[in-house]
Amino acid sequence: MKTLTFIAITLLAGAIAGAILATINQGIVEPYIDAAIDIENQNAIAAGELFDPTEYANYRIWQKGGEIAAGTILGMSLGSLFGIVFAYARPSIPGSNNKKKALIVAGIMWLVLFLIPALKYPANPPAVGDPETIYYRQTLYIAFLAVSGFSALGLAFVYRKMGSMQSKKILVPGVYAAIMIAAFVGMPPNPDEITAPMDLVNTFRVASAFTMSLFWAMLGLILGAFWDRLKPHETARIRVA
Amino acid sequence: MSFPALIFMSTGIKKQLTKAVTSVPKVAVGVLLGIMLFGIFMVGYDQGHLFSMAQGEPAYEDMWMHEFYHDMRHAAGFPCH
C-alpha cells in the first residue's frame, strides 16, 4: 500500500468533508444556536449582569469562524478513523467501486458512532448544559460511544471468522442490537434539566443530526472518489524472499 | 516440474501477493490514530487542558479552545457547557 498517499487522501477527505459541514452549519444549525444564546443572554441580563451588544456581536463572529476551524479538525479526526476502518474493511465490502464501498462503511460508522449515541445522549443547544456537570456528561458520552464502537469492532471480527455461515447476517447485528439496548436502558440519562423551549431544542437536534449525517455521507463519497483515482492499495513493495 | 507442484507454487505466490497488497501499513494506522485522538480531544473535550500546559491555571478560566470550537461542539453533539 502507498503509505503517504493513503494518509494524505484520508486527511484531505476528512478536512474537505469537515469544512463543508461547518459551512453548511452556518446556515442550517447556527440560527438555532443564536436563538439559544439569546435566551442565555436574556437570563444573564435579568440576573443583573453587564452586557455589551457590540462586543458580543464581534465575539459571535469569532466563534462562527472557530466553527470552520473546528469542522476541519473534526473532519480530519473522524476521517482518520474512517480511513483506517475503510482500509482494513475494503477487500470484504461488496460494491463495484470504492465510492460505493466507502459509502457502506461510512453508513455503518454513522450508525455506530453518531446515530445510536445521539439517540441516548442527543445534541443540545446552548442554554441547556449545566457547567457543573460537564465532566460527568462527557464521561457518559464517551462511555456510550466506546460501548457502541468497540462492540461493533469486536463483532466485525466475529463476522469475518464466521466465514460463509448465512446466519451471521442476522446473528451479528442482533448481538449488537442486544448490547446497545442493554447500554441504552442501563446507562444513566443526561442529568441536566432542560429549561429552554422544547421546540427550539428539538429543531436544533434535527438540524444538527441532518448536517452530521450529510458529513458522514460526504466523507464516504470523497474518500471513495480519491481511492478510485489514486488506488493507494495497489502499489506495494513486494519483497522477494 | 509436475503440474500439482506448479499449482502449489502459484497458490503460494498468490497468497503472498495478496498479503503484501492488502496489508495496511502500521505506521499509517499509528499516525492517523494519533491525529484522531488529538483532534477529537481538542474539538470535543478540552476545557482548558492544552493551554494550561503553557498558561497554567488561568487556562481553565479562559477555556480558549472551548470557546473557539464552541459552536461545532454543540452542532456535532458533544456535551458542552
PDB file of all heavy atoms in Angstrom, chain A residues 1-17 72 75-87 219 222-224 226-227 230 232, chain B residues 28 32-33 35:
ATOM      1  N   MET A   1       0.839  -1.211   0.000  1.00  0.00           N
ATOM      2  CA  MET A   1       0.000   0.000   0.000  1.00  0.00           C
ATOM      3  C   MET A   1       0.871   1.257   0.000  1.00  0.00           C
ATOM      4  O   MET A   1       1.921   1.282   0.640  1.00  0.00           O
ATOM      5  CB  MET A   1      -0.912  -0.013   1.234  1.00  0.00           C
ATOM      6  CG  MET A   1      -1.881   1.128   1.262  1.00  0.00           C
ATOM      7  SD  MET A   1      -2.938   1.107   2.717  1.00  0.00           S
ATOM      8  CE  MET A   1      -4.376   0.263   2.108  1.00  0.00           C
ATOM      9  N   LYS A   2       0.435   2.265  -0.731  1.00  0.00           N
ATOM     10  CA  LYS A   2       1.193   3.528  -0.752  1.00  0.00           C
ATOM     11  C   LYS A   2       0.857   4.311   0.519  1.00  0.00           C
ATOM     12  O   LYS A   2      -0.198   4.940   0.603  1.00  0.00           O
ATOM     13  CB  LYS A   2       0.817   4.336  -1.992  1.00  0.00           C
ATOM     14  CG  LYS A   2       1.287   3.713  -3.294  1.00  0.00           C
ATOM     15  CD  LYS A   2       0.872   4.542  -4.497  1.00  0.00           C
ATOM     16  CE  LYS A   2      -0.356   3.968  -5.146  1.00  0.00           C
ATOM     17  NZ  LYS A   2      -0.773   4.636  -6.385  1.00  0.00           N
ATOM     18  N   THR A   3       1.781   4.252   1.485  1.00  0.00           N
ATOM     19  CA  THR A   3       1.503   4.802   2.807  1.00  0.00           C
ATOM     20  C   THR A   3       1.166   6.293   2.779  1.00  0.00           C
ATOM     21  O   THR A   3       0.155   6.726   3.336  1.00  0.00           O
ATOM     22  CB  THR A   3       2.728   4.579   3.738  1.00  0.00           C
ATOM     23  OG1 THR A   3       3.056   3.198   3.677  1.00  0.00           O
ATOM     24  CG2 THR A   3       2.439   4.987   5.156  1.00  0.00           C
ATOM     25  N   LEU A   4       2.032   7.071   2.100  1.00  0.00           N
ATOM     26  CA  LEU A   4       1.820   8.521   2.121  1.00  0.00           C
ATOM     27  C   LEU A   4       0.536   8.919   1.400  1.00  0.00           C
ATOM     28  O   LEU A   4      -0.197   9.795   1.856  1.00  0.00           O
ATOM     29  CB  LEU A   4       3.024   9.233   1.485  1.00  0.00           C
ATOM     30  CG  LEU A   4       4.206   9.441   2.425  1.00  0.00           C
ATOM     31  CD1 LEU A   4       5.325  10.175   1.711  1.00  0.00           C
ATOM     32  CD2 LEU A   4       3.781  10.212   3.695  1.00  0.00           C
ATOM     33  N   THR A   5       0.264   8.246   0.277  1.00  0.00           N
ATOM     34  CA  THR A   5      -0.971   8.547  -0.457  1.00  0.00           C
ATOM     35  C   THR A   5      -2.174   8.239   0.426  1.00  0.00           C
ATOM     36  O   THR A   5      -3.132   9.023   0.490  1.00  0.00           O
ATOM     37  CB  THR A   5      -1.048   7.689  -1.744  1.00  0.00           C
ATOM     38  OG1 THR A   5       0.171   7.824  -2.425  1.00  0.00           O
ATOM     39  CG2 THR A   5      -2.207   8.102  -2.627  1.00  0.00           C
ATOM     40  N   PHE A   6      -2.125   7.101   1.106  1.00  0.00           N
ATOM     41  CA  PHE A   6      -3.225   6.702   1.982  1.00  0.00           C
ATOM     42  C   PHE A   6      -3.470   7.748   3.076  1.00  0.00           C
ATOM     43  O   PHE A   6      -4.593   8.217   3.285  1.00  0.00           O
ATOM     44  CB  PHE A   6      -2.922   5.317   2.585  1.00  0.00           C
ATOM     45  CG  PHE A   6      -3.822   4.917   3.715  1.00  0.00           C
ATOM     46  CD1 PHE A   6      -5.205   4.905   3.552  1.00  0.00           C
ATOM     47  CD2 PHE A   6      -3.301   4.546   4.949  1.00  0.00           C
ATOM     48  CE1 PHE A   6      -6.049   4.532   4.591  1.00  0.00           C
ATOM     49  CE2 PHE A   6      -4.133   4.172   5.993  1.00  0.00           C
ATOM     50  CZ  PHE A   6      -5.509   4.176   5.815  1.00  0.00           C
ATOM     51  N   ILE A   7      -2.391   8.158   3.751  1.00  0.00           N
ATOM     52  CA  ILE A   7      -2.541   9.165   4.821  1.00  0.00           C
ATOM     53  C   ILE A   7      -3.059  10.481   4.228  1.00  0.00           C
ATOM     54  O   ILE A   7      -3.986  11.096   4.765  1.00  0.00           O
ATOM     55  CB  ILE A   7      -1.197   9.402   5.556  1.00  0.00           C
ATOM     56  CG1 ILE A   7      -0.757   8.122   6.278  1.00  0.00           C
ATOM     57  CG2 ILE A   7      -1.310  10.554   6.545  1.00  0.00           C
ATOM     58  CD1 ILE A   7       0.584   8.232   6.987  1.00  0.00           C
ATOM     59  N   ALA A   8      -2.481  10.891   3.104  1.00  0.00           N
ATOM     60  CA  ALA A   8      -2.838  12.197   2.522  1.00  0.00           C
ATOM     61  C   ALA A   8      -4.306  12.232   2.104  1.00  0.00           C
ATOM     62  O   ALA A   8      -5.022  13.184   2.433  1.00  0.00           O
ATOM     63  CB  ALA A   8      -1.927  12.502   1.337  1.00  0.00           C
ATOM     64  N   ILE A   9      -4.788  11.190   1.393  1.00  0.00           N
ATOM     65  CA  ILE A   9      -6.177  11.268   0.926  1.00  0.00           C
ATOM     66  C   ILE A   9      -7.149  11.116   2.090  1.00  0.00           C
ATOM     67  O   ILE A   9      -8.236  11.682   2.070  1.00  0.00           O
ATOM     68  CB  ILE A   9      -6.495  10.252  -0.211  1.00  0.00           C
ATOM     69  CG1 ILE A   9      -6.325   8.809   0.258  1.00  0.00           C
ATOM     70  CG2 ILE A   9      -5.693  10.532  -1.451  1.00  0.00           C
ATOM     71  CD1 ILE A   9      -6.828   7.787  -0.767  1.00  0.00           C
ATOM     72  N   THR A  10      -6.748  10.366   3.111  1.00  0.00           N
ATOM     73  CA  THR A  10      -7.613  10.210   4.285  1.00  0.00           C
ATOM     74  C   THR A  10      -7.801  11.560   4.974  1.00  0.00           C
ATOM     75  O   THR A  10      -8.927  11.975   5.283  1.00  0.00           O
ATOM     76  CB  THR A  10      -6.998   9.191   5.267  1.00  0.00           C
ATOM     77  OG1 THR A  10      -6.925   7.928   4.604  1.00  0.00           O
ATOM     78  CG2 THR A  10      -7.812   9.053   6.522  1.00  0.00           C
ATOM     79  N   LEU A  11      -6.682  12.257   5.204  1.00  0.00           N
ATOM     80  CA  LEU A  11      -6.765  13.549   5.897  1.00  0.00           C
ATOM     81  C   LEU A  11      -7.466  14.598   5.030  1.00  0.00           C
ATOM     82  O   LEU A  11      -8.278  15.387   5.528  1.00  0.00           O
ATOM     83  CB  LEU A  11      -5.363  14.036   6.283  1.00  0.00           C
ATOM     84  CG  LEU A  11      -4.659  13.207   7.365  1.00  0.00           C
ATOM     85  CD1 LEU A  11      -3.260  13.749   7.610  1.00  0.00           C
ATOM     86  CD2 LEU A  11      -5.457  13.205   8.670  1.00  0.00           C
ATOM     87  N   LEU A  12      -7.167  14.571   3.733  1.00  0.00           N
ATOM     88  CA  LEU A  12      -7.767  15.560   2.836  1.00  0.00           C
ATOM     89  C   LEU A  12      -9.281  15.351   2.738  1.00  0.00           C
ATOM     90  O   LEU A  12     -10.054  16.315   2.806  1.00  0.00           O
ATOM     91  CB  LEU A  12      -7.108  15.457   1.452  1.00  0.00           C
ATOM     92  CG  LEU A  12      -7.428  16.589   0.492  1.00  0.00           C
ATOM     93  CD1 LEU A  12      -6.957  17.928   1.057  1.00  0.00           C
ATOM     94  CD2 LEU A  12      -6.768  16.358  -0.874  1.00  0.00           C
ATOM     95  N   ALA A  13      -9.706  14.096   2.594  1.00  0.00           N
ATOM     96  CA  ALA A  13     -11.145  13.814   2.509  1.00  0.00           C
ATOM     97  C   ALA A  13     -11.840  14.298   3.787  1.00  0.00           C
ATOM     98  O   ALA A  13     -12.905  14.924   3.735  1.00  0.00           O
ATOM     99  CB  ALA A  13     -11.380  12.315   2.308  1.00  0.00           C
ATOM    100  N   GLY A  14     -11.221  14.031   4.950  1.00  0.00           N
ATOM    101  CA  GLY A  14     -11.796  14.460   6.224  1.00  0.00           C
ATOM    102  C   GLY A  14     -11.866  15.976   6.319  1.00  0.00           C
ATOM    103  O   GLY A  14     -12.886  16.541   6.735  1.00  0.00           O
ATOM    104  N   ALA A  15     -10.769  16.641   5.912  1.00  0.00           N
ATOM    105  CA  ALA A  15     -10.735  18.105   6.001  1.00  0.00           C
ATOM    106  C   ALA A  15     -11.799  18.730   5.100  1.00  0.00           C
ATOM    107  O   ALA A  15     -12.498  19.666   5.492  1.00  0.00           O
ATOM    108  CB  ALA A  15      -9.340  18.619   5.623  1.00  0.00           C
ATOM    109  N   ILE A  16     -11.945  18.185   3.884  1.00  0.00           N
ATOM    110  CA  ILE A  16     -12.939  18.747   2.952  1.00  0.00           C
ATOM    111  C   ILE A  16     -14.359  18.526   3.507  1.00  0.00           C
ATOM    112  O   ILE A  16     -15.163  19.464   3.587  1.00  0.00           O
ATOM    113  CB  ILE A  16     -12.807  18.106   1.544  1.00  0.00           C
ATOM    114  CG1 ILE A  16     -11.464  18.470   0.917  1.00  0.00           C
ATOM    115  CG2 ILE A  16     -13.947  18.572   0.633  1.00  0.00           C
ATOM    116  CD1 ILE A  16     -11.157  17.710  -0.375  1.00  0.00           C
ATOM    117  N   ALA A  17     -14.650  17.272   3.914  1.00  0.00           N
ATOM    118  CA  ALA A  17     -15.998  16.983   4.430  1.00  0.00           C
ATOM    119  C   ALA A  17     -16.290  17.833   5.669  1.00  0.00           C
ATOM    120  O   ALA A  17     -17.401  18.340   5.842  1.00  0.00           O
ATOM    121  CB  ALA A  17     -16.129  15.497   4.737  1.00  0.00           C
ATOM    122  N   THR A  72     -13.039  21.533  10.275  1.00  0.00           N
ATOM    123  CA  THR A  72     -11.930  20.949   9.521  1.00  0.00           C
ATOM    124  C   THR A  72     -11.155  19.957  10.391  1.00  0.00           C
ATOM    125  O   THR A  72     -10.832  18.852   9.948  1.00  0.00           O
ATOM    126  CB  THR A  72     -10.991  22.075   9.024  1.00  0.00           C
ATOM    127  OG1 THR A  72     -11.800  23.090   8.414  1.00  0.00           O
ATOM    128  CG2 THR A  72      -9.990  21.570   8.025  1.00  0.00           C
ATOM    129  N   GLY A  75     -13.334  16.939  11.085  1.00  0.00           N
ATOM    130  CA  GLY A  75     -13.406  16.132   9.872  1.00  0.00           C
ATOM    131  C   GLY A  75     -12.160  15.289   9.685  1.00  0.00           C
ATOM    132  O   GLY A  75     -12.234  14.103   9.357  1.00  0.00           O
ATOM    133  N   MET A  76     -10.981  15.888   9.936  1.00  0.00           N
ATOM    134  CA  MET A  76      -9.732  15.134   9.801  1.00  0.00           C
ATOM    135  C   MET A  76      -9.659  14.023  10.843  1.00  0.00           C
ATOM    136  O   MET A  76      -9.144  12.936  10.579  1.00  0.00           O
ATOM    137  CB  MET A  76      -8.531  16.072   9.946  1.00  0.00           C
ATOM    138  CG  MET A  76      -8.311  16.943   8.724  1.00  0.00           C
ATOM    139  SD  MET A  76      -7.203  18.314   9.047  1.00  0.00           S
ATOM    140  CE  MET A  76      -5.633  17.521   8.911  1.00  0.00           C
ATOM    141  N   SER A  77     -10.187  14.297  12.050  1.00  0.00           N
ATOM    142  CA  SER A  77     -10.115  13.301  13.130  1.00  0.00           C
ATOM    143  C   SER A  77     -11.035  12.120  12.836  1.00  0.00           C
ATOM    144  O   SER A  77     -10.606  10.964  12.870  1.00  0.00           O
ATOM    145  CB  SER A  77     -10.517  13.926  14.469  1.00  0.00           C
ATOM    146  OG  SER A  77      -9.819  15.120  14.670  1.00  0.00           O
ATOM    147  N   LEU A  78     -12.313  12.412  12.562  1.00  0.00           N
ATOM    148  CA  LEU A  78     -13.242  11.315  12.254  1.00  0.00           C
ATOM    149  C   LEU A  78     -12.840  10.649  10.945  1.00  0.00           C
ATOM    150  O   LEU A  78     -12.952   9.433  10.789  1.00  0.00           O
ATOM    151  CB  LEU A  78     -14.683  11.842  12.171  1.00  0.00           C
ATOM    152  CG  LEU A  78     -15.279  12.332  13.496  1.00  0.00           C
ATOM    153  CD1 LEU A  78     -16.648  12.968  13.266  1.00  0.00           C
ATOM    154  CD2 LEU A  78     -15.403  11.199  14.508  1.00  0.00           C
ATOM    155  N   GLY A  79     -12.318  11.466  10.008  1.00  0.00           N
ATOM    156  CA  GLY A  79     -11.849  10.930   8.729  1.00  0.00           C
ATOM    157  C   GLY A  79     -10.693   9.964   8.916  1.00  0.00           C
ATOM    158  O   GLY A  79     -10.584   8.965   8.201  1.00  0.00           O
ATOM    159  N   SER A  80      -9.795  10.242   9.891  1.00  0.00           N
ATOM    160  CA  SER A  80      -8.666   9.342  10.162  1.00  0.00           C
ATOM    161  C   SER A  80      -9.170   7.970  10.571  1.00  0.00           C
ATOM    162  O   SER A  80      -8.711   6.939  10.078  1.00  0.00           O
ATOM    163  CB  SER A  80      -7.786   9.899  11.285  1.00  0.00           C
ATOM    164  OG  SER A  80      -7.178  11.091  10.865  1.00  0.00           O
ATOM    165  N   LEU A  81     -10.118   7.967  11.491  1.00  0.00           N
ATOM    166  CA  LEU A  81     -10.680   6.691  11.950  1.00  0.00           C
ATOM    167  C   LEU A  81     -11.376   5.985  10.784  1.00  0.00           C
ATOM    168  O   LEU A  81     -11.220   4.771  10.583  1.00  0.00           O
ATOM    169  CB  LEU A  81     -11.679   6.947  13.087  1.00  0.00           C
ATOM    170  CG  LEU A  81     -12.233   5.705  13.760  1.00  0.00           C
ATOM    171  CD1 LEU A  81     -11.129   4.920  14.439  1.00  0.00           C
ATOM    172  CD2 LEU A  81     -13.307   6.075  14.786  1.00  0.00           C
ATOM    173  N   PHE A  82     -12.103   6.759  10.010  1.00  0.00           N
ATOM    174  CA  PHE A  82     -12.810   6.197   8.857  1.00  0.00           C
ATOM    175  C   PHE A  82     -11.818   5.588   7.860  1.00  0.00           C
ATOM    176  O   PHE A  82     -12.031   4.481   7.344  1.00  0.00           O
ATOM    177  CB  PHE A  82     -13.647   7.299   8.187  1.00  0.00           C
ATOM    178  CG  PHE A  82     -14.301   6.862   6.915  1.00  0.00           C
ATOM    179  CD1 PHE A  82     -15.208   5.818   6.907  1.00  0.00           C
ATOM    180  CD2 PHE A  82     -13.994   7.487   5.716  1.00  0.00           C
ATOM    181  CE1 PHE A  82     -15.800   5.403   5.723  1.00  0.00           C
ATOM    182  CE2 PHE A  82     -14.598   7.080   4.535  1.00  0.00           C
ATOM    183  CZ  PHE A  82     -15.496   6.036   4.533  1.00  0.00           C
ATOM    184  N   GLY A  83     -10.719   6.305   7.603  1.00  0.00           N
ATOM    185  CA  GLY A  83      -9.711   5.805   6.662  1.00  0.00           C
ATOM    186  C   GLY A  83      -9.132   4.469   7.113  1.00  0.00           C
ATOM    187  O   GLY A  83      -8.981   3.542   6.310  1.00  0.00           O
ATOM    188  N   ILE A  84      -8.824   4.363   8.413  1.00  0.00           N
ATOM    189  CA  ILE A  84      -8.255   3.114   8.939  1.00  0.00           C
ATOM    190  C   ILE A  84      -9.259   1.975   8.763  1.00  0.00           C
ATOM    191  O   ILE A  84      -8.940   0.906   8.241  1.00  0.00           O
ATOM    192  CB  ILE A  84      -7.895   3.261  10.438  1.00  0.00           C
ATOM    193  CG1 ILE A  84      -6.793   4.313  10.630  1.00  0.00           C
ATOM    194  CG2 ILE A  84      -7.453   1.924  11.019  1.00  0.00           C
ATOM    195  CD1 ILE A  84      -6.556   4.704  12.080  1.00  0.00           C
ATOM    196  N   VAL A  85     -10.499   2.214   9.196  1.00  0.00           N
ATOM    197  CA  VAL A  85     -11.525   1.162   9.113  1.00  0.00           C
ATOM    198  C   VAL A  85     -11.746   0.775   7.648  1.00  0.00           C
ATOM    199  O   VAL A  85     -11.814  -0.405   7.301  1.00  0.00           O
ATOM    200  CB  VAL A  85     -12.855   1.635   9.760  1.00  0.00           C
ATOM    201  CG1 VAL A  85     -13.961   0.607   9.542  1.00  0.00           C
ATOM    202  CG2 VAL A  85     -12.665   1.883  11.246  1.00  0.00           C
ATOM    203  N   PHE A  86     -11.802   1.789   6.767  1.00  0.00           N
ATOM    204  CA  PHE A  86     -12.050   1.510   5.356  1.00  0.00           C
ATOM    205  C   PHE A  86     -10.909   0.696   4.747  1.00  0.00           C
ATOM    206  O   PHE A  86     -11.148  -0.257   3.990  1.00  0.00           O
ATOM    207  CB  PHE A  86     -12.258   2.809   4.582  1.00  0.00           C
ATOM    208  CG  PHE A  86     -12.580   2.585   3.128  1.00  0.00           C
ATOM    209  CD1 PHE A  86     -13.759   1.960   2.764  1.00  0.00           C
ATOM    210  CD2 PHE A  86     -11.695   2.983   2.137  1.00  0.00           C
ATOM    211  CE1 PHE A  86     -14.057   1.726   1.423  1.00  0.00           C
ATOM    212  CE2 PHE A  86     -11.987   2.750   0.792  1.00  0.00           C
ATOM    213  CZ  PHE A  86     -13.167   2.120   0.444  1.00  0.00           C
ATOM    214  N   ALA A  87      -9.669   1.052   5.095  1.00  0.00           N
ATOM    215  CA  ALA A  87      -8.523   0.342   4.517  1.00  0.00           C
ATOM    216  C   ALA A  87      -8.560  -1.147   4.884  1.00  0.00           C
ATOM    217  O   ALA A  87      -8.272  -2.010   4.058  1.00  0.00           O
ATOM    218  CB  ALA A  87      -7.223   0.975   4.993  1.00  0.00           C
ATOM    219  N   LEU A 219     -18.022  12.286   3.609  1.00  0.00           N
ATOM    220  CA  LEU A 219     -16.736  11.667   3.950  1.00  0.00           C
ATOM    221  C   LEU A 219     -16.551  10.386   3.136  1.00  0.00           C
ATOM    222  O   LEU A 219     -15.492  10.156   2.545  1.00  0.00           O
ATOM    223  CB  LEU A 219     -16.713  11.372   5.457  1.00  0.00           C
ATOM    224  CG  LEU A 219     -15.409  10.877   6.061  1.00  0.00           C
ATOM    225  CD1 LEU A 219     -14.299  11.887   5.865  1.00  0.00           C
ATOM    226  CD2 LEU A 219     -15.587  10.587   7.553  1.00  0.00           C
ATOM    227  N   ILE A 222     -16.173  11.248  -0.717  1.00  0.00           N
ATOM    228  CA  ILE A 222     -14.918  11.918  -1.080  1.00  0.00           C
ATOM    229  C   ILE A 222     -13.740  10.945  -0.974  1.00  0.00           C
ATOM    230  O   ILE A 222     -12.923  10.829  -1.888  1.00  0.00           O
ATOM    231  CB  ILE A 222     -14.685  13.177  -0.206  1.00  0.00           C
ATOM    232  CG1 ILE A 222     -15.792  14.200  -0.479  1.00  0.00           C
ATOM    233  CG2 ILE A 222     -13.328  13.801  -0.503  1.00  0.00           C
ATOM    234  CD1 ILE A 222     -15.824  15.370   0.487  1.00  0.00           C
ATOM    235  N   LEU A 223     -13.664  10.195   0.151  1.00  0.00           N
ATOM    236  CA  LEU A 223     -12.539   9.254   0.269  1.00  0.00           C
ATOM    237  C   LEU A 223     -12.648   8.167  -0.807  1.00  0.00           C
ATOM    238  O   LEU A 223     -11.642   7.787  -1.411  1.00  0.00           O
ATOM    239  CB  LEU A 223     -12.475   8.621   1.674  1.00  0.00           C
ATOM    240  CG  LEU A 223     -11.246   7.724   1.870  1.00  0.00           C
ATOM    241  CD1 LEU A 223      -9.946   8.512   1.783  1.00  0.00           C
ATOM    242  CD2 LEU A 223     -11.289   6.977   3.192  1.00  0.00           C
ATOM    243  N   GLY A 224     -13.881   7.710  -1.078  1.00  0.00           N
ATOM    244  CA  GLY A 224     -14.082   6.695  -2.120  1.00  0.00           C
ATOM    245  C   GLY A 224     -13.616   7.200  -3.477  1.00  0.00           C
ATOM    246  O   GLY A 224     -12.977   6.477  -4.241  1.00  0.00           O
ATOM    247  N   PHE A 226     -11.377   9.637  -4.081  1.00  0.00           N
ATOM    248  CA  PHE A 226      -9.903   9.697  -4.066  1.00  0.00           C
ATOM    249  C   PHE A 226      -9.318   8.295  -4.257  1.00  0.00           C
ATOM    250  O   PHE A 226      -8.318   8.105  -4.936  1.00  0.00           O
ATOM    251  CB  PHE A 226      -9.396  10.270  -2.741  1.00  0.00           C
ATOM    252  CG  PHE A 226      -9.444  11.776  -2.676  1.00  0.00           C
ATOM    253  CD1 PHE A 226      -9.766  12.423  -1.487  1.00  0.00           C
ATOM    254  CD2 PHE A 226      -9.144  12.552  -3.794  1.00  0.00           C
ATOM    255  CE1 PHE A 226      -9.814  13.810  -1.414  1.00  0.00           C
ATOM    256  CE2 PHE A 226      -9.180  13.935  -3.727  1.00  0.00           C
ATOM    257  CZ  PHE A 226      -9.510  14.567  -2.530  1.00  0.00           C
ATOM    258  N   TRP A 227      -9.927   7.315  -3.577  1.00  0.00           N
ATOM    259  CA  TRP A 227      -9.404   5.946  -3.601  1.00  0.00           C
ATOM    260  C   TRP A 227      -9.491   5.379  -5.017  1.00  0.00           C
ATOM    261  O   TRP A 227      -8.561   4.730  -5.503  1.00  0.00           O
ATOM    262  CB  TRP A 227     -10.176   5.066  -2.612  1.00  0.00           C
ATOM    263  CG  TRP A 227      -9.378   3.902  -2.133  1.00  0.00           C
ATOM    264  CD1 TRP A 227      -9.043   2.783  -2.842  1.00  0.00           C
ATOM    265  CD2 TRP A 227      -8.788   3.737  -0.841  1.00  0.00           C
ATOM    266  NE1 TRP A 227      -8.291   1.937  -2.072  1.00  0.00           N
ATOM    267  CE2 TRP A 227      -8.122   2.493  -0.845  1.00  0.00           C
ATOM    268  CE3 TRP A 227      -8.769   4.526   0.325  1.00  0.00           C
ATOM    269  CZ2 TRP A 227      -7.438   2.004   0.274  1.00  0.00           C
ATOM    270  CZ3 TRP A 227      -8.086   4.041   1.431  1.00  0.00           C
ATOM    271  CH2 TRP A 227      -7.432   2.800   1.410  1.00  0.00           C
ATOM    272  N   LEU A 230      -6.671   7.287  -7.067  1.00  0.00           N
ATOM    273  CA  LEU A 230      -5.241   7.120  -6.739  1.00  0.00           C
ATOM    274  C   LEU A 230      -4.862   5.698  -6.329  1.00  0.00           C
ATOM    275  O   LEU A 230      -3.685   5.382  -6.214  1.00  0.00           O
ATOM    276  CB  LEU A 230      -4.849   8.113  -5.628  1.00  0.00           C
ATOM    277  CG  LEU A 230      -5.000   9.574  -6.051  1.00  0.00           C
ATOM    278  CD1 LEU A 230      -4.948  10.507  -4.857  1.00  0.00           C
ATOM    279  CD2 LEU A 230      -3.906   9.966  -7.038  1.00  0.00           C
ATOM    280  N   PRO A 232      -4.549   3.704  -3.585  1.00  0.00           N
ATOM    281  CA  PRO A 232      -3.403   3.550  -2.668  1.00  0.00           C
ATOM    282  C   PRO A 232      -3.103   2.098  -2.295  1.00  0.00           C
ATOM    283  O   PRO A 232      -2.008   1.787  -1.842  1.00  0.00           O
ATOM    284  CB  PRO A 232      -3.824   4.351  -1.432  1.00  0.00           C
ATOM    285  CG  PRO A 232      -5.299   4.440  -1.514  1.00  0.00           C
ATOM    286  CD  PRO A 232      -5.643   4.441  -2.969  1.00  0.00           C
TER     287      PRO A 232
ATOM    288  N   ALA B  28       0.968   4.123   9.149  1.00  0.00           N
ATOM    289  CA  ALA B  28      -0.168   4.966   8.763  1.00  0.00           C
ATOM    290  C   ALA B  28      -1.268   4.883   9.811  1.00  0.00           C
ATOM    291  O   ALA B  28      -1.868   5.898  10.193  1.00  0.00           O
ATOM    292  CB  ALA B  28      -0.700   4.529   7.403  1.00  0.00           C
ATOM    293  N   LEU B  32      -2.565   8.129  11.916  1.00  0.00           N
ATOM    294  CA  LEU B  32      -3.975   8.532  11.820  1.00  0.00           C
ATOM    295  C   LEU B  32      -4.684   8.407  13.172  1.00  0.00           C
ATOM    296  O   LEU B  32      -5.499   9.266  13.532  1.00  0.00           O
ATOM    297  CB  LEU B  32      -4.695   7.705  10.752  1.00  0.00           C
ATOM    298  CG  LEU B  32      -4.244   7.984   9.307  1.00  0.00           C
ATOM    299  CD1 LEU B  32      -4.903   7.025   8.330  1.00  0.00           C
ATOM    300  CD2 LEU B  32      -4.549   9.423   8.902  1.00  0.00           C
ATOM    301  N   LEU B  33      -4.357   7.358  13.936  1.00  0.00           N
ATOM    302  CA  LEU B  33      -4.979   7.224  15.272  1.00  0.00           C
ATOM    303  C   LEU B  33      -4.580   8.377  16.170  1.00  0.00           C
ATOM    304  O   LEU B  33      -5.396   8.913  16.929  1.00  0.00           O
ATOM    305  CB  LEU B  33      -4.566   5.904  15.925  1.00  0.00           C
ATOM    306  CG  LEU B  33      -5.448   4.681  15.649  1.00  0.00           C
ATOM    307  CD1 LEU B  33      -4.907   3.477  16.422  1.00  0.00           C
ATOM    308  CD2 LEU B  33      -6.901   4.928  16.032  1.00  0.00           C
ATOM    309  N   ILE B  35      -3.693  11.438  15.219  1.00  0.00           N
ATOM    310  CA  ILE B  35      -4.411  12.646  14.762  1.00  0.00           C
ATOM    311  C   ILE B  35      -5.857  12.602  15.245  1.00  0.00           C
ATOM    312  O   ILE B  35      -6.405  13.589  15.721  1.00  0.00           O
ATOM    313  CB  ILE B  35      -4.342  12.755  13.218  1.00  0.00           C
ATOM    314  CG1 ILE B  35      -2.907  13.073  12.798  1.00  0.00           C
ATOM    315  CG2 ILE B  35      -5.311  13.819  12.701  1.00  0.00           C
ATOM    316  CD1 ILE B  35      -2.665  13.070  11.308  1.00  0.00           C
TER     317      ILE B  35
END
